[in-house]
Amino acid sequence: MRWFEVATIWRRELLKFWADPGLIITSIVVPLMGILILGFGLNKFIKIPGLDIDYLDFFGPGAIAVLSIGAAMFVGFSIIRDKQGYIKELMVVPISRYSILIGKILSEITTQILTLVASVAVIVFFFLQTDRGLEGIILTILFMFLIVFGFSCFGIFISSIFKHAKSYNQIMVIIIIPVSFLSGAFFPIEGLPTGLQWVAYANPLTYGVDGIRWALIGFSGIPIGLDIFILIAFTAVMMVVGVKLFEKGFKG
Amino acid sequence: MKTVAVKNLVKRFKDKVAVDEVSFNINGGEVFGLLGPNGAGKTTVISMLTTLLQPTSGQAAVCGHDIVKADAAVRRAIGLVFQDTILDEDLSAYVNLDTHARLYRVPKEKASKRINELLSMVELADESKTKVGKFSGGMKRRLEIARGLIHRPRVLFLDEPTIGLDPKTRRMIWEHIIKLREHTDITILLTTHYLEEADTLCDRVAIMKNGRIVVCDSPQKLKHDLGGDLIRIELDRRDKRLEEKINSLPYVKKIKIRGNAINLTVDNGQKRAVELIPLIDTFPPTLKSMNLREPTLDDVFLYHTGERFSSSNDLH
């Protein structure tokens, strides 16, 4: 792997991203819209027991985590979409397979983080009563990065199993619904039946939601160190598995 | 050293042999065609030679580099245009080529000079800033050929270069390939299932069927080896005596009776046709039509496989 190769792939993806302003706007506006409507709608009716904050403040950090995982899933989709096309083209160019993969992941993460930061700015500055300052924002971005990186690699792992973008999307919907709803983003997991609580604790996103909530409103049910540790471990495992399978997917 | 040397190449997928003991050589500067119906194994051969697929057994070398042991060196020496269009439709023609030049580490100034040269060569210089998504099928194909040449490869692989294009655009692509053949010393390996394309473009053709090479030579030689020109005589009825008479002529090499029609293979067909007409007049049947043609690669295919090319090509 050489850095100029990674940089060239990264550059190409960003050029493509800027060439399509419609995509940029929809990828920011659409999820944000859904989340804000949900947040405002429920704000008046829901109080989290034992917490003296608005529902919007509780839900805001969760929403950021859910947006991040949505963005991450797009990375796998983009790779599977390119697999029959541009990636095939790149396989004949004398560059390392790892450069292609890393360049692709980094560029997707860059564009996803760019759009996420725009969404997060809206959520944080207009809807959250946060007094955590710059430190909180930096920690939030760190957690977002971990969620996007970890779940991107998970998406690549899934995309290596399937040949077509359609089957990838179907599987992803089946995965993303429980992962989002059983993460504590929308309601505290303590309210769930014991069995589902276990599922929630096995869900890496739970630790991302908890971490971002701690960073932004200072409320947390899990030690912050454990949040970070679990997300890094998840990312590392997914990256190894993802790269291995990605490589294998191209050998005839 | 042969530019491309292939020996007993085999590719077996789970339950199917896609390429079966294929051997051929390509000399420097040659345009070599793999001609065959869909599913004959042409693309699989190209995929192996361009290091995208690992052969099951056998050897092949491109510019002296083994396709398995020295795949990186092979990739540096070749350019490839895929069967289906693979371009960044959101980006301009120039940026598409520039990205490739960067990947091959062509220095910046050289790259921009080369990109402009290649865009003029494929007659897209005026469209250099246009988004590729707005291009027609033929323009995209030309741009892909330009991209395949950006790093000055010694061998260019073209997989079905004119598939899906209309006849006019197809001829235009042919002109570009002929230009390359005449003005550069690049070696070209192309696959096609168009007989006319192989005939027009290729110095030598290997005819493939069911994963095997049936015969390999220059189109002229292949056609010549069939033994001469084909004359088809159509009469209003059969006549044994006339058939025997024609069969006894010294210049008739082969004769086949099909109903009221007599098919002949002869040398020097134009002269013989003129001689045949008065001869037929001395016999009772009336001559309804006479058709003279030189053999085509379709006849070559028929001769070597026992099947018409078009009938084994169900997609077209």
Side-chain angles (χ1 to χ4, degrees), chain A residues 104-140:
Chain A
K104 188 86 190 149
I105 298 178
L106 285 182
S107 62
E108 290 295 344
I109 288 175
T110 310
T111 54
Q112 293 304 338
I113 294 272
L114 282 177
T115 54
L116 277 178
V117 164
S119 313
V120 168
V122 174
I123 294 176
V124 170
F125 290 105
F126 294 100
F127 305 104
L128 286 186
Q129 331 256 284
T130 175
D131 49 4
R132 308 279 293 172
L134 190 63
E135 187 194 311
I137 303 284
I138 292 172
L139 250 174
T140 303

Side-chain angles (χ1 to χ4, degrees), chain B residues 38 49 68 182 231 249 270:
Chain B
N38 295 311
L49 293 181
V68 178
E182 281 166 6
I231 295 178
L249 294 169
Q270 304 204 355

Side-chain angles (χ1 to χ4, degrees), chain B residues 226 229-235 238 242-244 246-248 252-266 293 299 302-304 306-308:
Chain B
L226 289 187
D229 299 333
L230 305 167
I231 295 178
R232 181 185 151 87
I233 302 161
E234 206 194 341
L235 305 165
R238 283 192 65 168
L242 173 60
E243 286 163 10
E244 275 161 23
I246 291 177
N247 198 12
S248 70
V252 171
K253 293 186 162 173
K254 259 181 262 169
I255 179 164
K256 236 186 219 160
I257 317 287
R258 286 261 163 82
N260 292 341
I262 303 171
N263 294 310
L264 303 177
T265 308
V266 300
R293 62 185 179 86
D299 301 307
L302 174 68
Y303 179 79
H304 289 284
E307 250 176 80
R308 277 278 163 210

Side-chain angles (χ1 to χ4, degrees), chain B residues 73-128:
Chain B
V74 171
R75 272 182 251 145
R76 263 191 295 277
I78 61 170
L80 169 60
V81 178
F82 287 97
Q83 202 170 114
D84 16 59
T85 306
I86 302 176
L87 288 162
D88 279 328
E89 310 247 328
D90 297 332
L91 303 179
S92 70
Y94 188 94
V95 173
N96 265 280
L97 296 189
D98 182 54
T99 302
H100 249 240
R102 283 166 192 265
L103 287 173
Y104 283 96
R105 279 203 126 162
V106 181
K108 219 175 166 150
E109 270 165 37
K110 234 189 212 169
S112 94
K113 197 170 154 250
R114 229 181 255 179
I115 291 168
N116 290 324
E117 273 171 22
L118 284 167
L119 283 174
S120 330
M121 186 201 94
V122 296
E123 290 164 59
L124 288 173
D126 296 339
E127 309 290 340
S128 109

Side-chain angles (χ1 to χ4, degrees), chain A residues 4 11-12 89 92 94 97, chain B residues 75 88 100 104-105 147:
Chain A
F4 85 89
R11 181 177 174 277
R12 172 233 170 205
E89 170 73 31
V92 238
R97 265 62 165 154
Chain B
R75 272 182 251 145
D88 279 328
H100 249 240
Y104 283 96
R105 279 203 126 162
R147 183 180 60 189

Side-chain angles (χ1 to χ4, degrees), chain A residues 8-173:
Chain A
T8 307
I9 308 265
W10 184 80
R11 181 177 174 277
R12 172 233 170 205
E13 296 287 337
L14 265 96
L15 285 171
K16 274 182 72 175
F17 180 70
W18 291 124
D20 194 355
L23 181 75
I24 304 174
I25 291 166
T26 44
S27 60
I28 295 172
V29 171
V30 173
L32 198 57
M33 206 163 54
I35 274 165
L36 290 179
I37 292 170
L38 191 64
F40 277 120
L42 295 174
N43 197 27
K44 278 268 159 56
F45 304 102
I46 298 180
K47 265 260 166 278
I48 304 294
L51 258 182
D52 188 25
I53 51 171
D54 282 349
Y55 180 70
L56 210 51
D57 287 332
F58 174 83
F59 178 54
I64 293 171
V66 171
L67 283 179
S68 306
I69 185 179
M73 289 314 174
F74 187 76
V75 176
F77 170 72
S78 149
I79 286 183
I80 200 166
R81 190 190 49 194
D82 271 9
K83 205 150 107 179
Q84 301 303 320
Y86 207 85
I87 291 186
K88 202 168 117 193
E89 170 73 31
L90 290 175
M91 299 308 257
V92 238
V93 177
I95 64 175
S96 141
R97 265 62 165 154
Y98 287 97
S99 303
I100 301 172
L101 184 63
I102 304 289
K104 188 86 190 149
I105 298 178
L106 285 182
S107 62
E108 290 295 344
I109 288 175
T110 310
T111 54
Q112 293 304 338
I113 294 272
L114 282 177
T115 54
L116 277 178
V117 164
S119 313
V120 168
V122 174
I123 294 176
V124 170
F125 290 105
F126 294 100
F127 305 104
L128 286 186
Q129 331 256 284
T130 175
D131 49 4
R132 308 279 293 172
L134 190 63
E135 187 194 311
I137 303 284
I138 292 172
L139 250 174
T140 303
I141 291 177
L142 168 79
F143 273 107
M144 273 167 49
F145 185 80
L146 284 175
I147 295 171
V148 174
F149 209 109
F151 279 95
S152 296
C153 292
F154 174 72
I156 289 160
F157 155 59
I158 298 291
S159 77
S160 309
I161 304 175
F162 296 100
K163 248 203 165 112
H164 301 289
K166 199 178 147 208
S167 14
Y168 174 82
N169 282 347
Q170 285 165 341
I171 291 297
M172 271 313 162
V173 172

